[in-house]
Amino acid sequence: MGPRLAGWPAALLLAAAAPSQDRRDVPTFSSQVDLVTVDAVVRDGRGELVRGLTADDFLLLEDGRPQPIASFEAFDAPAPAARPAPPATAGPVATNRRGAEDRGRPFVLLVDDMSLAPARQEDVRRAIVRFLSDGLRDGDDVIFATTSADAWWSARMSEGREDLEALAGRVRGRNLADTGADAISEWEAFRIVHLEGIEAGRGGAPGGAPAATFAPGSNMMERVRQRYLQRGVCDPLQFPDACYAMVRSRAQQVDARRRNRTRDTLAAVDRAVFALTGLRGRKSLLLLTEGFLNDSDLGLVQEVASRCREANVAVYSLDVRGLMAGLGGMSAADAGTPNAAELALMATEQVEFQAAGSVGLAEDTGGFALRNSNDLAGGAVRAAHESRVYYLLGYTPPAGKGPRDWRRLEVKVKRAGLTVRARKGYALRNAAEIAAADAARLAAARGSAAPLPVDVARAAGNAGHPDAIPLRAMAYVLDERPGGTVRTVIALEADTRRLANLGGDARARAVVTLAIVATHRDSGKTVHVTERVEVEGGAERDWEGWLVLGRELELPPGVNQARVVVRDEFLDRLGALTLRFVVPPPATFRMSTPLLTNRLSGAKRGAPAGPVPGARREFPPRGPLYCQFQVFGASGLGGRPAAVAASVELRRRDGTLVRGTTSSAIAPAEDGRLVRLVAFPLDGMAAGDYDMVVRIEETATGRTGESVEPFRITARAR
């Protein structure tokens, strides 16, 4: 452990980006690698969660042999205490400083919109809204994502509810029904391509290269051929092999589309599991889907299931199709089936086989599968409740098997009338193997981009707020850019007391990795910044010892979110936070985000001193407090220059005026910009919460604007 930085200035020298050394520390399970932990959910005969059990109530078996329980924890999250309602307008500064009362459970809401029929998207939206209101609690962290990669958004409840509901509102079903006469279900296509129509010795194993000859006696092949004949797709006068070839060609198209969609679904699950790995306790991933087949040829299914088990992520597969009757309203005539018996068989296939993969993923990871039920929202709420009442059993795995050998797990409860659900097994990989695999996956995903430390990528993707490095951040929305975007500066501050000083007292120096992922809520568009930053400080000292990093982004108007991660490359400490802010439409009469600061930069090359941007909104009761803003979108009439008047008031939070300026015209700068800088003395002011109220008015048109900027005066001057 090296020395810590002390007394760093607010102005920093930032080096160019460079690759960083990756030090990984990802546990295989929630404990040591030699202690396997299994989380178990217990319910009684009425389906109620069972509390109050002890280690003596459980029997844990590996490969059928009882194992001593070495560790035991009972998790029973109480209902949260009533807390005062948050202010109507949240403060502009985000921080990763969180109290113990804010620590909730991690959840992933993954909507498989690639399998979702448009007719069912409203059901999914309603289920999500109810899950947010009835399933989640204050402090819970939520990742909302779609398998189409249209959305990836992290939020903390309850302040994130509005954004999550907005995301639910734009869920779109992307799986259009195939209504053509040559339509084939995915199950039929899978059977034909992988399990039928291959002559022994000619086509290899199922899933290999297609054979040149077909077996007309295969049930599925013949069933579809008869349907094609009935619908007129095939000419009954043609040679039979021609119709079989047509069936197989169509089946290959449908199966290829099905496999690609399954890969997208599993990749989204895998991305969420990667983000959640290393977080302690039970993590819940709710997959709202029409299901996917259990295709053993897709090795990704087994890989993702294994990673879920290693990360203690329970997958809950919630079938959005609801109660299935017949073929979802399709008649025998519509389906073109020869008889009612076959229609019933196809209905069974649709319910059972076409979702067997998603059902198996849930059951193997300790979650449950909800299917053939119209209570989609109830299933989601039930999954949330399971994340709060469960038992964590640890044991030492017996010798005799290799790290990649499958070990079958079974957890039983000795009390009568109780049922237990837990993951069904695991393969014992150590932390180094998992970290190496994660690094390889991350490098493959980034392609030619510079390598990113695994822990940084993981923190950038989840919703947690690790605070080994205390951070705070604020967004400053500035001028318009080409293409309808708006220049936005993310001002980030990090506590130097938690960074390693690599240069000593004479020349303080630190090396950090900085990652920013900015996401537009309503389009899903993202902007990435990843840098290796060398920070140097001179003799000037900041009154709080925080260093400032500012990064400029061009963002679309609307609600945006910046996920910010800072990692000390020497100490491996990491801090992360989520900053939410609104970018206004560019072509409007408006002002920039007012800059409040008690520091001025030095004059350089003839330029006057200016306020130093930062993410602090707490100031000591001494010296001046500066407020600077710029006006955009003003226009004059009759060829006259734009004229804008402005006033600035310092008020207590209850609205009492403390100091202020009268409304007066803003004199244009030499370059034509409309900028105003005012200063109010803070000496002698009482500690407490205040607002800086800025008002602007365009003289020619009467258009107005107002910004209320909260800040705090601390109890003592430092």
Side-chain angles (χ1 to χ4, degrees), residues 250-269:
R250 185 72 178 110
Q252 288 172 333
Q253 294 175 3
V254 173
D255 192 63
R257 184 179 61 198
R258 187 267 314 167
R259 287 170 70 89
N260 288 336
R261 191 173 69 243
T262 301
R263 288 191 182 97
D264 289 341
T265 300
L266 292 169
V269 173

Side-chain angles (χ1 to χ4, degrees), residues 154-218:
S154 60
R156 172 158 288 188
M157 298 299 287
S158 60
E159 55 265 35
R161 185 187 307 278
E162 176 186 344
D163 292 328
L164 294 173
E165 289 180 351
L167 288 164
R170 71 178 186 89
V171 165
R172 297 289 183 271
R174 301 173 183 269
N175 187 17
L176 301 179
D178 190 349
T179 58
D182 62 345
I184 297 178
S185 74
E186 291 184 351
W187 172 245
E188 290 174 329
F190 174 76
R191 290 278 304 179
I192 291 169
V193 172
H194 297 279
L195 303 176
E196 295 183 4
I198 299 177
E199 184 180 353
R202 294 291 300 276
T213 60
F214 307 108
S218 298

Side-chain angles (χ1 to χ4, degrees), residues 486-504:
V486 177
R487 184 167 65 99
T488 304
V489 172
I490 305 297
L492 170 69
E493 298 184 6
D495 190 342
T496 60
R497 293 169 295 182
R498 300 295 293 169
L499 297 179
N501 183 355
L502 305 180

Side-chain angles (χ1 to χ4, degrees), residues 287 289-294 315 317 354-363 369:
L287 176 61
T289 180
E290 294 200 13
F292 55 85
L293 288 167
N294 187 13
V315 176
S317 175
Q354 288 188 207
S358 51
V359 170
L361 179 63
E363 294 177 347

